[in-house]
Amino acid sequence: ETGVTQSPTHLIKTRGQQVTLRCSSQSGHNTVSWYQQALGQGPQFIFQYYREEENGRGNFPPRFSGLQFPNYSSELNVNALELDDSALYLCASSLDNNYGYTFGSGTRLTVV
Amino acid sequence: KNEVEQSPQNLTAQEGEFITINCSYSVGISALHWLQQHPGGGIVSLFMLSSGKKKHGRLIATINIQEKHSSLHITASHPRDSAVYICVRNTGNQFYFGTGTSLTVIP
């Protein structure tokens, strides 16, 4: 049984650029959720995907978008990066949102 | 306004002490999660609760649905328990995070 894998682990981007972060869910999990954690703060829920459809979204603007693929891996895309987007981005997977979540180690994004 | 309140914010304990971290929320839940986050960011999901009590090793989590309150207990605390503990309210397909409790266990 594999855990949740996120890539890349660290990333530096320039303001205005676009970024894609990737998450490979734990085997057998069909639900994935993404979180943003700014330095010194708790995580904030971005959105959740279930069987390739977005089925929950937090208070984030549309330039934060995602995809879930048939193998249940997932991407988080952020357009028009802003300095405040600098954060640790975490993904977590679950089976049917009815069981505990397995978290990835995160991608640390720095926007300069 | 944070809909999930945790207390205390910071906690320092001697090794071996019994520790309690509290979480209160204001609206109904589908489930309540307890997470552990170590320095560097790695998160471990400890418990997912919708009622009653769960135990895993030295960790015990309880929830009182009527009072909208959950507690995480650590028995015989150890320095490796030092981490931030986060309570998460899951309502439908939304997740609301508590502010976290930073625990330091001193040898």
Side-chain angles (χ1 to χ4, degrees):
Chain A
E1 171 180 289
T2 60
V4 174
T5 306
Q6 290 188 244
S7 62
T9 54
H10 295 83
L11 193 56
I12 299 175
K13 287 287 196 176
T14 303
R15 189 173 51 183
Q17 284 188 314
Q18 179 266 343
V19 69
T20 297
L21 309 182
R22 294 180 174 82
C23 174
S24 178
S25 301
Q26 180 163 320
S27 178
H29 285 185
N30 55 17
T31 305
V32 65
S33 52
W34 285 90
Y35 307 87
Q36 179 197 66
Q37 185 175 25
L39 194 63
Q41 298 183 26
Q44 299 285 322
F45 172 63
I46 304 175
F47 45 55
Q48 177 171 282
Y49 278 80
Y50 172 70
R51 294 181 184 269
E52 303 178 58
E53 297 285 334
E54 183 183 297
N55 73 340
R57 190 176 182 94
N59 190 25
F60 279 80
R63 60 189 185 84
F64 285 78
S65 63
L67 278 174
Q68 188 182 28
F69 299 100
N71 67 354
Y72 302 132
S73 66
S74 175
E75 286 182 354
L76 164 65
N77 298 292
V78 187
N79 294 323
L81 283 166
E82 300 176 1
L83 297 179
D84 286 349
D85 295 333
S86 296
L88 178 69
Y89 289 85
L90 295 157
C91 80
S93 71
S94 174
L95 176 61
D96 294 335
N97 194 31
N98 287 328
Y99 302 93
Y101 276 76
T102 302
F103 279 79
S105 300
T107 293
R108 189 162 296 282
L109 171 66
T110 303
V111 182
V112 297
Chain B
K1 177 178 177 240
N2 195 331
E3 302 177 31
V4 181
E5 301 291 337
Q6 283 186 240
S7 63
Q9 221 172 349
N10 296 283
L11 182 56
T12 301
Q14 288 292 133
E15 183 174 356
E17 283 186 10
F18 180 83
I19 288 162
T20 296
I21 299 170
N22 295 299
C23 175
S24 296
Y25 51 93
S26 54
V27 297
I29 60 168
S30 308
L32 188 118
H33 302 255
W34 281 100
L35 310 177
Q36 179 194 56
Q37 186 169 33
H38 282 280
I43 287 184
V44 174
S45 179
L46 299 175
F47 295 103
M48 178 175 171
L49 290 164
S50 54
S51 65
K53 173 180 168 179
K54 286 190 177 179
K55 184 175 188 293
H56 186 243
R58 295 180 295 107
L59 302 177
I60 303 166
T62 62
I63 190 167
N64 185 318
I65 298 296
Q66 287 73 30
E67 294 186 3
K68 296 186 175 59
H69 180 269
S70 176
S71 293
L72 176 68
H73 306 285
I74 304 175
T75 61
S77 60
H78 190 277
R80 65 174 174 267
D81 297 327
S82 298
V84 175
Y85 292 83
I86 305 170
C87 166
V88 186
R89 175 172 74 84
N90 176 198
T91 303
N93 298 321
Q94 293 287 335
F95 296 82
Y96 300 91
F97 287 74
T99 50
T101 295
S102 179
L103 171 65
T104 303
V105 181
I106 299 170

